[in-house]
């Protein structure tokens, strides 16, 4: 980060924002958000100049300057009394593997895994472990979500995929941390066929980022390719397929392996700050409740190996599209009749590293969480064409569901009530707030047509191909943007919405 230059730029933008926004304007209908308006923001945010918007890079500087500039033009202001206007610094520690080696003994015999089958990261600058006994832990948790095996002082070998039992169980990052907290000396995650191994290797294999306030991981963490995992299990006299099958039981207790491992790893450990962007639209008649819009600005940065034709994961759909929507929503709400309640806009960092910016905001909110009447997250919204029904992740509170239904129906939208979208509830920033009791919804068409969503997740998602192009369907995103303008107005209306589920 080039901090001085950057903060000067933000301060300059802050001056413009003091200009008063239109208030007490006659209630005019909000102009519809157009596909061209969204396309322009996405083209810029997903341009190569932004380098894939990785936290802590120049791409972050550019992204923040753009988002702050657009929100200031919309009439939003920094949170009053903030010592870092527009920005919430989020302290991180990044560990970059410099070198690592693993030697295994299986049934007393040396067993080697080629460099292409394993990725290792030491937690500290230099780590050396000798003769660590191995245990295969399946998903690492049982059906109740607790660590399922004794891993203290051991190498825990865990599966990447979500556990097939129970849908509220933690994802692999959290499970890896739980094993570390339970005393594991090393955690190796067997990768999944669902994520291409070269992509995993490049995008998160050698770098590991955590909140500075978070507990440290195990002394050694890493990944095994599916093939290397199977080869190691085979050398231990086990059948990988049979072990994976056994691990599907919610009562699985893990299997000790006749394997020991020696690890040596050197790492560069770097503390740095990235930033959440936070802006406020002060309400005309604030009553202590507030609406929060959020979406993540970050993406994966340089994600393909040297020599690849395209090395940048630009994140056009994920999530330049969501930020584009939040810019246009801010412009409608900022320029039209001023809503009663305060409305906050939050662009989070490090969603791609495990919702880290959102978790940090939830731990350090600029407005008490109990005052947030609703959090509306916008992520990966450019998937569907016009006319796609509206799904809601986080449904189930009748009064809230009625507000969404009314707003959608008034815009001529149909509702999708099959609840399939809830499979994604933990995979989005709203989860960080929802887990702390904030009513957190993700509303739109992208999550109602599972075929379209799965097609994206199975192709361009988290790959350099998630580029800006005129192939990206923006019709649904434009309709969803209009819907969010309407939702902002509805939830900020002190007469029409009490602020709570009664
Ligand atoms: Zn993503």
């Amino acid at each position: 980060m080039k901090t001085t230059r950057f903060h000067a730029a933000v301060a300059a933008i802050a001056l413009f924002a003091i200009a008063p926004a239109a208030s007490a304007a006659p209630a005019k209908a909000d102009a519809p958000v157009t596909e061209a308006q969204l396309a322009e923001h996405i083209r810029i945010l997903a341009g190569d100049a932004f380098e894939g918007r990785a936290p802590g890079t120049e791409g972050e500087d550019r992204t923040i300057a753009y988002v702050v500039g657009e929100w200031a033009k919309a009439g939003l202001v920094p949170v009053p009394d903030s010592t870092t206007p527009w920005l919430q610094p989020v302290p991180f520690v990044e560990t970059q593997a410099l070198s690592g080696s693993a030697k295994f003994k299986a049934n007393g015999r040396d067993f080697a895994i080629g460099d292409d089958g394993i990725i290792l990261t030491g937690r500290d600058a230099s780590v050396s472990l000798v003769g660590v006994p191995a245990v295969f832990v399946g998903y690492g948790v049982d059906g109740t979500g607790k660590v399922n095996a004794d891993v203290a002082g051991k190498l825990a070998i865990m599966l990447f995929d979500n556990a097939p039992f129970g849908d509220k169980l933690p994802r692999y990052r959290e499970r890896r941390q739980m094993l570390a907290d339970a005393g594991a000396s090393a955690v190796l995650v067997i990768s999944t066929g669902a994520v291409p191994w070269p992509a995993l290797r490049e995008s998160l294999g050698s770098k590991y980022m955590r909140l500075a306030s978070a507990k440290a991981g195990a002394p050694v963490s890493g990944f095994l390719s599916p093939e290397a995992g199977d080869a190691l299990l085979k050398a231990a006299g086990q059948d990988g397929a049979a072990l994976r099958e056994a691990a599907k039981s919610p009562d699985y207790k893990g299997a000790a392996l006749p394997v020991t491992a020696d690890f040596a790893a050197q790492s560069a450990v770097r503390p740095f700050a990235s930033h959440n962007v936070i802006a406020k639209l002060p309400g005309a008649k604030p009553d202590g409740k507030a609406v929060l819009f959020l979406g993540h600005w970050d993406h994966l940065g340089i994600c393909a190996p040297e020599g690849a034709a395209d090395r940048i994961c630009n994140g056009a759909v994920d999530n330049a599209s969501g930020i584009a929507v939040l810019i246009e929503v801010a412009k409608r709400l900022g320029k039209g009749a001023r809503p009663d309640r305060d409305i906050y806009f939050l662009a989070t960092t490090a969603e791609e590293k495990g919702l880290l910016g959102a978790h940090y905001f939830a731990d350090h909110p600029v407005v008490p969480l109990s005052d947030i009447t609703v959090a509306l997250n916008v992520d990966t919204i450019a998937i569907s064409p016009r006319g796609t029904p509206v799904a809601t992740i986080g449904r189930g509170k009748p009064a809230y569901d009625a507000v969404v239904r009314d707003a959608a129906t008034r815009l001529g939208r149909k509702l999708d009530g099959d609840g399939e979208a809830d499979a994604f509830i933990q995979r989005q920033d709203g989860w960080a707030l929802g887990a702390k009791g904030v009513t957190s919804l993700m509303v739109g068409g992208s999550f109602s047509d599972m075929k379209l969503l799965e097609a994206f997740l199975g192709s361009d998602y988290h790959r350099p191909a998630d580029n800006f192009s005129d192939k990206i369907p923006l019709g649904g995103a434009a309709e969803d943007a209009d819907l969010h303008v309407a939702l902002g107005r509805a939830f900020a209306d002190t007469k029409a919405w009490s602020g709570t589920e009664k």
Side-chain angles (χ1 to χ4, degrees), residues 80-134:
D81 303 325
S82 167
T83 52
T84 53
W86 301 101
L87 302 179
Q88 177 176 57
V90 184
F92 288 104
V93 174
E94 183 186 72
T95 309
Q96 160 96 59
L98 299 175
S99 66
S101 71
K103 285 186 200 146
F104 298 91
K105 259 195 180 20
N107 280 316
R109 286 213 216 131
D110 288 341
F111 176 79
I113 293 176
D115 277 352
D116 56 346
I118 187 166
I119 303 163
L120 289 177
T121 309
R123 180 186 65 198
D124 306 316
S126 180
V127 178
S128 169
L129 301 171
V130 177
V132 184

Side-chain angles (χ1 to χ4, degrees), residues 357-451:
H359 281 301
Y360 188 84
F361 178 87
D363 287 340
H364 305 88
V366 299
V367 52
L369 294 184
S370 55
D371 290 351
I372 299 174
T373 182
V374 69
L376 295 161
N377 185 32
V378 184
D379 192 354
T380 305
I381 203 160
I383 300 271
S384 54
R386 283 184 189 270
T388 309
V390 175
T392 302
I393 295 178
R395 276 186 325 158
K397 293 187 177 172
Y400 281 90
D401 295 348
V403 173
V404 174
R405 189 170 55 240
D406 288 356
T409 310
R410 253 180 238 163
L411 289 166
R413 303 283 301 270
K414 289 203 173 55
L415 283 122
D416 172 358
D418 64 19
E420 278 181 320
D422 272 329
F424 290 87
I425 194 156
Q426 291 191 45
R427 289 182 62 173
Q428 48 95 24
D429 270 344
W431 176 252
L433 293 153
K436 292 200 144 196
V438 177
T439 300
S440 180
L441 307 177
M442 194 159 161
V443 183
S446 291
F447 296 87
S448 74
D449 188 329
M450 285 296 138
K451 276 210 190 86

